[in-house]
Amino acid sequence: MAPSFDWWSKEKLRGTPVVVKMENPNWSISEISADEEDDGLVDEFAPMRKGGRGKNAKQITWVLLLKAHRAAGCLTYLASAAFHLAAAVRRRVSSGKTDSDSTSSPTDESPALRRRFYSCIKIFLGLSVFLLAFEMAAFLKGWHITAHDLHRVSFPPSFNFRLLFSSIYSVWVRFRAEFIAPPLQFLANACVILFLIQSADRFILCLGCFWIRFRRIRPVANSTSNDVEAGEYFPMVLVQIPMCNEREVYQQSIAAVCCLDWPSSNMLIQVLDDSSDPSTQILIREEVEKWAQTGVPILYRHRVIRDGYKAGNLKSAMNCSYVKDYEFVALFDADFQPTPDFLKKTVPHFKGNDELALVQARWSFVNKDENLLTRLQNINLCFHFEVEQQVNGIFINFFGFNGTAGVWRIKALEDAGGWLERTTVEDMDIAVRAHLKGWKFIFLNDVECQCELPESYEAYRKQQHRWHSGPMQLFRLCLPEVILSKIAFWKKTNLIFLFFLLRKVILPFYSFTLFCIILPMTMFVPEAVLPAWVVCYIPATMSFLNILPAPRSFPFIVPYLLFENTMSVTKFNAMISGLFQLGSAYEWVVTKKSGRSSEGDLLSLVEKEPKHHRGGSVPDLSLIAKEAADHPTKELKKKKKHNRIYRKELALAFLLLTAAARSLLSAQGIHFYFLLFQGVSFLVVGLDLIGEQIE
């Protein structure tokens, strides 16, 4: 039978595609052309068809070759990546360096707490492996039953191993349904409620940020037209740079502060060096002297008794007799590089606003694209500054001081009691005490100060431990002060329930408990259920909101979600240690810097002067140099770094992967993928394969 065609008129046919209905699928194009040759149309398009056929064949050949080349390149890349990954894992395991080893610096948690916490995770892991084997054996026998099916299940009457195993399995199903599932479900429901409350808080913050952008709300400095110099406002400003063994970043920090555009007669720079390394002291002192000889009002100050970490350093500097001549103090950590107009953008906000205590600028990061770890940190901190700090500053006039890149009214510092060494978050402590005294804060989202992010997971982990244990210490200490203070009731409520409980306690608690403990357990106790929207949709929505202030980071939304859940272990551990005053809560470890901010062109703005020593103001540097030369091996040990294996993260990785394997038996798709990817994320972090790689 010849193929039938639905023909239009020839005029329409020439301008539109032809639809061919083939009744015999075995017929070829050549047969169709021969049968329809009499129509006259085939002859007209035949040359084009013949030429196109040859050309298309060549094109297809080249496309196939190109795709084959790309596929081979992709396979080669994957093979190379797998080889390097295996080599990195082998090096980690062979080196034997774990998070329990303490060499040059104190650990980020006490040994007793570490053993306790790690033992609990190992117990969960061992139990999950046993239950997985037990459930797989039952599944292979076809006994995938629930507590509701027990009355309909009959076992063989003869006593044998099969009957014994089936009896044990039925007892386990009944036991988990009656005794394990109810409390587990109650805990899961409680965590879900906390999760929804925290998600609502984050959503409201995002709405507030959207309203600020929509209405273009921002703090505006008062006019200074009544000043002696029209339009100029130059009060006395003290600039402090606290540092401790900051060999990598001290130069650019000092240079940036010395380039501030402010009358030298109205400014004094204090370099507060708490370094324990004599050679670093020499370098910092020489840098200060170099700038002093150019006419910059700068002083070097070193404490003999280094108590109280950063808070003790700042407290000691504020006790100097000349501080009473200054009205404001600007703080910059050792890796921060303010722009020359920083003081001109921040200090004028104090003019005519006697209730204002603090003007805080946001941070920007010179190494945010250095590796995956810095990209994920950038997402978190962009949300913190643009959403949390800005919204709280606009609508409440209060937020936690970030410890740097801010200007304080010295009168407000003194009224709040000054710097105290009672916690490892002295910046948050002074902010809360000033708020209780009725002082107001301003956050400037359009004023940025450059700094750098931790590039290694070890440094980031220690930083996060301090940032999450300190607020718990402060909460225990200041709760009576908050309750007895004279501020408005709604401010007390905001401080206790939102600032501390919701954002500092509930967030790390439910993140770890819900996604690292309850979710894996529900795979082995299917009578307790976590809905798919809790596992997938709400976390994805919150991650989407978190990433909005950093739109260029959208490709990293999935790694960000997984990494935040992975970091919940460290944050939960830190929160518990701070809340119950466990050993590691009061350890203050300086975050390691890489010095990448020195790659900028800031130092090129100022010509380097030859270094001279002033006899009267400089102690015997040769003695310090000799002391440093007597300990060369100690310096070498400090510089030697290793990537470590983090045991808690590895144990949780295997726990989640075991639960993912169990979820396959019950065919829970979303739960399986979440557990699988989260387990891989814990595995990568546990092997220290994220961030800076140190040979």
Side-chain angles (χ1 to χ4, degrees), residues 24 53 66 91 173 178 219 447 482 568 594 599 624:
N24 189 348
R53 186 184 307 139
L66 180 61
R91 287 197 301 269
V173 172
E178 294 180 1
V447 179
V482 175
S568 66
S594 63
E599 297 173 1
I624 300 178

Side-chain angles (χ1 to χ4, degrees), residues 30 95 140 151 181 233 293 323 326 343 346 351 408 426 505 565 572 596 671 680:
S30 59
S95 66
L140 293 175
H151 66 281
Y233 175 59
Q293 291 173 6
V323 173
Y326 294 85
L343 293 180
T346 54
K351 178 64 177 178
W408 275 91
E426 73 292 327
V505 179
N565 289 336
F572 176 81
R596 295 194 183 275
H671 297 72
V680 172

Side-chain angles (χ1 to χ4, degrees), residues 281-299:
Q281 295 177 30
I282 295 174
L283 294 174
I284 297 175
R285 184 185 292 272
E286 288 181 345
E287 187 71 14
V288 171
E289 291 176 354
K290 180 195 74 175
W291 286 101
Q293 291 173 6
T294 64
V296 176
I298 184 170
L299 297 176

Side-chain angles (χ1 to χ4, degrees), residues 151-421:
H151 66 281
R152 294 187 282 106
V153 177
S154 59
F155 298 104
S158 59
F159 182 82
N160 51 29
F161 179 77
R162 177 183 174 88
L163 177 61
L164 178 63
F165 183 80
S166 62
S167 301
I168 295 174
Y169 182 71
S170 63
V171 171
W172 157 244
V173 172
R174 183 177 288 107
F175 177 78
R176 79 187 187 194
E178 294 180 1
F179 298 102
I180 299 180
L184 181 61
Q185 187 67 61
F186 175 80
L187 183 60
N189 293 339
C191 286
V192 168
I193 293 173
L194 296 177
F195 181 29
L196 292 177
I197 294 174
Q198 197 274 334
S199 300
D201 172 64
R202 185 145 299 192
F203 182 71
I204 293 172
L205 287 174
C206 291
L207 287 180
C209 182
F210 172 77
W211 181 254
I212 291 172
R213 282 197 172 190
F214 177 73
R215 298 298 300 269
R216 298 182 181 179
I217 302 173
R218 68 183 187 92
V220 179
N222 292 330
S223 174
T224 59
S225 58
N226 296 328
D227 291 345
V228 176
E229 298 179 73
E232 300 294 341
Y233 175 59
F234 294 123
M236 301 292 287
V237 177
L238 179 68
V239 182
Q240 296 179 335
I241 315 175
M243 56 179 64
C244 181
N245 297 322
E246 308 279 4
R247 180 189 290 265
E248 297 84 4
V249 294
Y250 73 93
Q251 278 186 311
Q252 60 264 26
S253 175
I254 294 176
V257 172
C258 289
C259 292
L260 287 172
D261 187 9
W262 201 258
S264 59
S265 59
N266 294 28
M267 179 178 69
L268 176 65
I269 302 171
Q270 287 181 318
V271 178
L272 310 177
D273 182 24
D274 246 9
S275 301
S276 58
D277 175 27
S279 62
T280 303
Q281 295 177 30
I282 295 174
L283 294 174
I284 297 175
R285 184 185 292 272
E286 288 181 345
E287 187 71 14
V288 171
E289 291 176 354
K290 180 195 74 175
W291 286 101
Q293 291 173 6
T294 64
V296 176
I298 184 170
L299 297 176
Y300 176 86
R301 181 179 172 83
H302 179 76
R303 293 193 301 163
V304 178
I305 302 176
R306 301 170 56 248
D307 292 335
Y309 303 113
K310 182 180 176 181
N313 196 4
L314 294 173
K315 181 179 180 180
S316 174
M318 294 300 293
N319 289 331
C320 296
S321 59
Y322 53 79
V323 173
K324 66 178 183 297
D325 299 328
Y326 294 85
E327 188 176 356
F328 304 104
V329 56
L331 293 169
F332 300 101
D333 281 351
D335 59 318
F336 278 73
Q337 302 178 35
T339 56
D341 60 351
F342 181 87
L343 293 180
K344 286 188 174 182
K345 290 182 176 179
T346 54
V347 175
H349 288 271
F350 290 97
K351 178 64 177 178
N353 194 353
D354 295 336
E355 295 181 347
L356 182 61
L358 167 67
V359 175
Q360 171 75 62
R362 74 173 292 168
W363 302 355
S364 60
F365 311 103
V366 297
N367 61 337
K368 62 182 178 182
D369 297 324
E370 183 62 31
N371 54 46
L372 179 60
L373 179 61
T374 58
R375 291 176 185 271
L376 299 179
Q377 292 179 69
N378 179 58
I379 296 173
N380 242 346
L381 290 171
C382 283
F383 182 87
H384 169 69
F385 285 108
E386 187 152 348
V387 179
E388 293 180 342
Q389 298 290 76
Q390 184 174 211
V391 171
N392 289 327
I394 293 293
F395 295 105
I396 306 178
N397 295 124
F398 167 73
F399 48 83
F401 175 45
N402 294 116
T404 178
V407 182
W408 275 91
R409 188 188 296 271
I410 294 180
K411 181 181 177 182
L413 285 177
E414 295 172 349
D415 183 47
W419 299 103
L420 298 180
E421 307 98 324

